[in-house]
Amino acid sequence: MLRGPDARLRFVNVLMIAVLLPILGQLVRLQVLERSRRLPEVEELLQRPYTLPAPPPGIVMDAHGELLVGNVPIYKVGAEISRGGGISVVGNVTRTRQVAEELAPLLNRDSEELFQALSVPPDAGGRVWRPLAAAVPADVGEQLMQLRSERWGWLTLEMEWQRYYAEGDLASHTLGFVTERDKDGQQGGFGVQGYYVRLLSPLPVVGRGEVDAYQVPLAEALALGELRAYPGTDLVLTLDRTIQAFVEGELDWAMQEYRAQGGTILVLNPRTGAILAAASRPAYVPYEFGLYPESEYPLFQDPVVSSSYEPGSVFKVLTVAAAVDAGGVGPNWSYHDSGYLEYGGVPIRNSDHRAHGQQNLQGLLDSSLNVGAATLTTRVLGAESFYRYMRAFGFGQKTGVDLVGESTGILHFPESEFWSDSSLATNSFGQGIAVTPVQLMTAVSALANRGTMMVPYVVAERRYPDGRLAVTTPRPLGTPITPETADYLAELMEKSVAHRLTRAQVPGYRIAGKTGTSQIPIPGGYHPVDVITSFVGFGPMPDPEVLILVKIDRPGIERHLRWGTQTAAPTFSRVAERLFVLMGIPPSEAWAGP
Amino acid sequence: MSVLWRQTTHGVQRRPETASRTTAKLILMGALVAGLLAAAFLALTTSTVRLSGEIWAAHHEMARIQRANSLLEAEIARLSSIPVLQERSRALGYERAGTLDFIEMGAP
C-alpha cells in the first residue's frame, strides 16, 4: 500500500508520534495536572517511616560525679514466623524443637514453652510475630544478634534502655523513677527523675523517606544530618552518696533502736538550700517499682516533700523569731508561767503539766513551754502579725524544691472557715498545723542563714547533650526576719543545746537546735499513745554549714521515753558528729582532750 | 553554513535536502549537555544514597558504642559502689573509724 521510502518513513513517524503522544499526555496529567492529588499516593508507595537508634536517657550523678542512676541496654526478643512445611516456621517440627532447646538457656525459659511459642497453629495464616522474652541482658542480646545474622534471620531484637541504680536502693525517694510512655507519649514519675522527666528522656527521632531494599533510609534529611538523636540531659545532684549512705544507716539504726514505724533525716546547706542527704523510711526499691502492688504505691511518694505532720515544739523557735522580729519581745522580756492558759475556749498546758514561774525567752525554749509560746501569739503578736510571719516563713505554700509531689502542708489562716480563735494559741507550739520536712527546714534555715531562706534544691548541674552546662544558682526564697533576729534566735537555740539538750551535743562543736514531740491527729482528736519525735539543729556555730532534721515516727519504746530529747536528739548528735568529719568541717573549739 | 547535495539511495534519485550543520551541532550539544546533566544527577543521587547509607551505619555504630559505654559506666559504678567498696575494705581488714580527733596546729 505504501509506496516508496518516503511514504514508509512518514508512516513510521506518524506511528511513533501516535504512540508517544498518549505517554506524554499521561505524563503531563500525572506530573502537572494531578500532581497535588497524586503526590501523597506516591509518597505512600515510596516513603517509609524510620527511627534512629534510641539514644540513652540522661544519667544521674551525685555531687562528686559518682553514678547514681545509669542505663543498660536490654532487648525484647521475638520471632517472626511463618507457616512453612507443617506447623512451624523455622522449618519443621524437629528443627523448631532444636531451635527452642538452643534458645532456652539463652532466654532463661523452658524449651517446651519456647517450642510452643515458635510453632504456628494450623489455623494461622501468613506471617506471625511472637514475643519470646523481654528484658534480655545486653550480653545475651549480642549473642542473639550474632545468631540472627548467621542463622536465625527470623529472630527480632528490639533494644531498650533500662535504668541502672548503681547504689541499689540508696536515696530511693529522692532519685525516684520514670514510668513508661503512655499511649499519648506522656511520661510520669517520682523523685528528681519524675521532676526532670522531660530533660532526662530523649525524644524518639522519627523520620520519613525513601528506603532501599534493606530498609536503609535514603532520605535527604539523613544525608544532610538534619535528623540527629540526642541522648537525655545528665543531672548532677547536690546529694553526696557517702553522706547519704551514712545518713540512711543512722536512720535505720534509729528505727531499730527506738522501734519506730518510720522516719526521715534531711540534711541541708542553709546558706544555699542544697539538699545534701534525704533519707526516709519505709523506703522502696526503685528498680523494682513495677513489682509493687497498687496498695503500696504511696511508698513511692517522698515523705520529705509529700508527707505533712504536726511539727510540735520545734515550731516554737519560729514563733519566738516572729515575736522578736516584730519587736514585741527581747532579751529583757519575761512572763509568769502558771502552767495553764485558756484561749478561745481551749486550755493550754505545758507538756510537763507544771508551772515554771517567771520565764524569759531562753527559759521558754529551754523548757519548751507551750504556755509561753501561746502567750507570745495571743498577747504579743496577735493573729494578723503571727500569720503574716508564718506566710513569710513559707507555710501553706510550696518551697519550689525540684522533687515531684511537693505538698503545701496545712496552715489555716484567720480568714479560713477551719480557723478558730484557739488556733492562734495551739499553732504557736506547732499543733493544728501540718508541715512537710522540707518546708520546716526551709523556714528554720532563715535562723541559720541570717534571716534569709533559700529555695531548696537537689539538682546542682544540668549537662545538656550538646555540651551546654547549666549550674543551679542558689536563689533566696524570702527574708522573713532580720539578720539580728536570726542571730539572736540562733544564740538562744545554741544556749538551749549547751545547757539543756545535752543529748544533742556534738563534742567540740557548737550546735543550735530544738526538740519536738508532737501528737498524731486522728479523727476526733489525737492518738492517745503514738507520737512523732523530732529535732532540728544546725552547726557548727557561729557559721553553720549544715542544717539537720531528724524525725522519728511512732517510736515504740517505753512511753516515758517517747520524747524528742530521748530519741531524735541523740540521733541528731550521731549524724552531726560523723557528718562534720565527712564534710571536713573543723571543730568550733580547740580539743580539750579526753 | 548550509550544504546542498543530491543523494542517490538504492538507485532512487532523491530530491535535494537542506540541512543545517549548526542545527545538528546544537542538537548534539543539547544531547551532550542533557547527558552530562543526567550523569551529574545520577552521580549526585548515588552519592546521596551512599552517604545516607554511611550515616545510617554511623548512627548504628554510635548506638553500639553508646550501649557499650553505658554498660562500662554501669560496671564501673557497680565496682565502685558503696556496698562493694565496704565489702572489699572489710576483706582487706579495714574497719569503720571510731572517734576522730582534730589536732590544732599552730600557725607556721
Side-chain angles (χ1 to χ4, degrees):
Chain A
M1 298 291 280
L2 294 169
R3 290 170 188 275
D6 281 358
R8 284 197 294 275
L9 272 171
R10 273 196 298 277
F11 174 73
V12 169
N13 278 345
V14 169
L15 196 69
M16 282 179 72
I17 289 167
V19 169
L20 282 173
L21 261 180
I23 296 173
L24 208 67
Q26 283 288 56
L27 276 174
V28 170
R29 185 175 70 86
L30 293 171
Q31 298 277 13
V32 181
L33 302 177
E34 296 179 4
R35 181 184 164 80
S36 55
R37 190 161 66 85
R38 298 287 177 185
L39 207 59
E41 292 174 24
V42 174
E43 281 178 355
E44 186 64 34
L45 279 171
L46 296 176
Q47 300 197 338
R48 294 279 183 281
Y50 57 88
T51 311
L52 295 188
I59 60 172
V60 183
M61 292 165 275
D62 85 340
H64 303 295
E66 299 289 349
L67 188 76
L68 294 174
V69 187
N71 304 294
V72 287
I74 54 164
Y75 293 87
K76 197 185 275 181
V77 181
E80 203 167 74
I81 52 184
S82 60
R83 291 187 69 190
I87 58 161
S88 165
V89 193
V90 209
N92 52 44
V93 179
T94 318
R95 176 83 187 112
T96 306
R97 198 168 285 285
Q98 280 175 357
V99 168
E101 277 169 13
E102 208 172 333
L103 261 178
L106 288 171
L107 300 181
N108 200 20
R109 280 192 70 183
D110 181 56
S111 63
E112 187 54 37
E113 282 177 17
L114 278 176
F115 173 72
Q116 294 298 331
L118 288 168
S119 303
V120 187
D123 54 338
R127 298 172 79 84
V128 183
W129 183 82
R130 287 280 171 77
L132 299 182
V136 172
D139 53 340
V140 178
E142 301 288 335
Q143 280 184 57
L144 291 172
M145 265 192 232
Q146 190 70 24
L147 284 167
R148 182 176 64 177
S149 60
E150 288 170 0
R151 290 187 283 154
W152 296 342
W154 45 267
L155 207 60
T156 64
L157 286 143
E158 192 184 329
M159 200 281 289
E160 292 175 339
W161 291 103
Q162 187 181 52
R163 292 303 247 176
Y164 173 73
Y165 290 76
E167 300 289 342
D169 56 359
L170 188 81
S172 58
H173 285 113
T174 310
L175 295 177
F177 60 86
V178 170
T179 57
E180 286 189 12
R181 287 182 194 278
D182 63 15
K183 61 181 189 307
D184 300 322
Q186 299 296 312
Q187 276 183 297
F190 289 88
V192 71
Q193 293 190 82
Y195 191 89
Y196 289 100
V197 63
R198 286 186 170 192
L199 280 182
L200 286 167
S201 307
L203 286 175
V205 185
V206 180
R208 193 175 172 82
E210 291 177 45
V211 293
D212 69 6
Y214 299 101
Q215 299 297 306
V216 172
L218 310 174
E220 231 177 53
L222 195 69
L224 294 173
E226 287 169 2
L227 286 178
R228 289 189 66 185
Y230 286 104
T233 299
D234 297 339
L235 301 178
V236 179
L237 303 189
T238 54
L239 294 188
D240 178 319
R241 67 167 187 168
T242 310
I243 293 176
Q244 179 71 29
F246 161 70
V247 164
E248 290 196 11
E250 287 302 314
L251 181 58
D252 289 335
W253 172 86
M255 295 269 294
Q256 197 176 358
E257 182 76 7
Y258 306 119
R259 298 199 292 276
Q261 291 181 22
T264 292
I265 297 180
L266 181 58
V267 182
L268 190 138
N269 181 340
R271 293 173 185 164
T272 61
I275 293 174
L276 306 176
S280 292
R281 295 288 184 270
Y284 67 98
V285 184
Y287 49 87
E288 289 178 352
F289 72 89
L291 304 177
Y292 285 81
E294 202 171 333
S295 60
E296 290 186 22
Y297 284 0
L299 273 180
F300 301 154
Q301 291 181 335
D302 185 356
V304 163
V305 295
S306 302
S307 302
S308 44
Y309 69 106
E310 292 204 358
S313 295
V314 163
F315 204 76
K316 284 173 187 151
V317 292
L318 302 172
T319 301
V320 174
V324 171
D325 200 72
V329 295
N332 300 321
W333 177 85
S334 67
Y335 78 105
H336 180 77
D337 192 294
S338 61
Y340 178 85
L341 182 148
E342 189 177 315
Y343 193 81
V346 172
I348 307 293
R349 289 187 178 86
N350 291 324
S351 57
D352 58 4
H353 295 267
R354 286 170 55 194
H356 289 258
Q358 203 65 22
Q359 289 292 332
N360 57 13
L361 294 175
Q362 188 67 60
L364 188 161
L365 288 180
D366 286 354
S367 305
S368 197
L369 301 173
N370 293 344
V371 172
T375 303
L376 287 178
T377 53
T378 57
R379 296 188 188 157
V380 177
L381 278 166
E384 193 273 330
S385 185
F386 174 67
Y387 289 106
R388 183 161 41 82
Y389 273 103
M390 292 307 110
R391 263 201 189 96
F393 274 120
F395 295 111
Q397 307 148 53
K398 292 180 181 180
T399 61
V401 65
D402 45 357
L403 290 167
V404 157
E406 186 181 10
S407 153
T408 58
I410 302 166
L411 176 61
H412 298 307
F413 294 99
E415 56 270 24
S416 162
E417 60 176 307
F418 299 105
W419 188 86
S420 63
D421 286 344
S422 64
S423 300
L424 184 60
T426 54
N427 287 174
S428 69
F429 49 90
Q431 207 173 61
I433 173 176
V435 303
T436 62
V438 75
Q439 222 173 21
L440 183 72
M441 286 285 270
T442 307
V444 175
S445 74
L447 310 181
N449 190 38
R450 305 217 70 215
T452 302
M453 301 187 301
M454 304 301 287
V455 176
Y457 65 98
V458 285
V459 169
E461 265 179 42
R462 298 186 296 277
R463 295 180 182 172
Y464 292 94
D466 59 1
R468 281 182 302 131
L469 186 73
V471 179
T472 306
T473 312
R475 288 181 296 131
L477 182 63
T479 309
I481 50 173
T482 62
E484 292 73 27
T485 304
D487 291 348
Y488 179 56
L489 256 292
E491 192 185 320
L492 290 177
M493 290 166 75
E494 187 188 341
K495 283 180 182 166
S496 200
V497 172
H499 302 142
R500 298 294 291 269
L501 297 168
T502 51
R503 285 166 172 266
Q505 291 173 358
V506 179
Y509 292 88
R510 288 164 54 193
I511 298 293
K514 178 76 187 82
T515 55
T517 307
S518 53
Q519 291 173 286
I520 298 171
I522 54 170
Y526 284 93
H527 197 282
V529 180
D530 287 345
V531 291
I532 291 174
T533 63
S534 59
F535 185 92
V536 64
F538 46 89
M541 298 301 288
D543 204 7
E545 290 185 47
V546 286
L547 171 62
I548 304 168
L549 169 71
V550 177
K551 171 175 163 279
I552 297 171
D553 301 345
R554 301 172 192 262
I557 50 175
E558 292 81 3
R559 283 185 69 174
H560 70 279
L561 295 175
R562 293 178 193 178
W563 293 94
T565 44
Q566 303 289 334
T567 57
T571 308
F572 167 87
S573 173
R574 287 169 61 99
V575 171
E577 184 179 7
R578 183 65 63 168
L579 206 59
F580 292 148
V581 175
L582 286 172
M583 292 176 69
I585 301 171
S588 316
E589 300 146 9
W591 184 58
Chain B
M1 190 177 76
S2 62
V3 178
L4 295 174
W5 77 95
R6 298 179 71 82
Q7 203 171 4
T8 304
T9 311
H10 303 300
V12 179
Q13 181 99 12
R14 299 190 62 185
R15 73 169 188 274
E17 289 186 22
T18 306
S20 162
R21 277 184 184 271
T22 313
T23 311
K25 278 180 185 171
L26 281 174
I27 292 169
L28 195 66
M29 285 295 286
L32 201 66
V33 168
L36 279 173
L37 282 174
F41 179 73
L42 196 66
L44 191 70
T45 311
T46 313
S47 163
T48 307
V49 168
R50 188 178 50 79
L51 204 61
S52 296
E54 281 175 12
I55 291 169
W56 186 249
H59 274 296
H60 279 271
E61 180 61 9
M62 196 165 73
R64 191 191 63 75
I65 293 168
Q66 267 174 346
R67 288 199 298 270
N69 190 48
S70 293
L71 277 171
L72 287 172
E73 271 182 355
E75 183 59 9
I76 291 168
R78 188 188 68 78
L79 291 172
S80 60
S81 67
I82 290 173
V84 173
L85 287 180
Q86 279 178 335
E87 199 178 316
R88 181 87 183 120
S89 305
R90 274 194 291 270
L92 288 169
Y94 287 95
E95 284 179 17
R96 183 178 160 160
T99 309
L100 273 93
D101 297 323
F102 285 83
I103 299 169
E104 199 176 18
M105 304 293 287

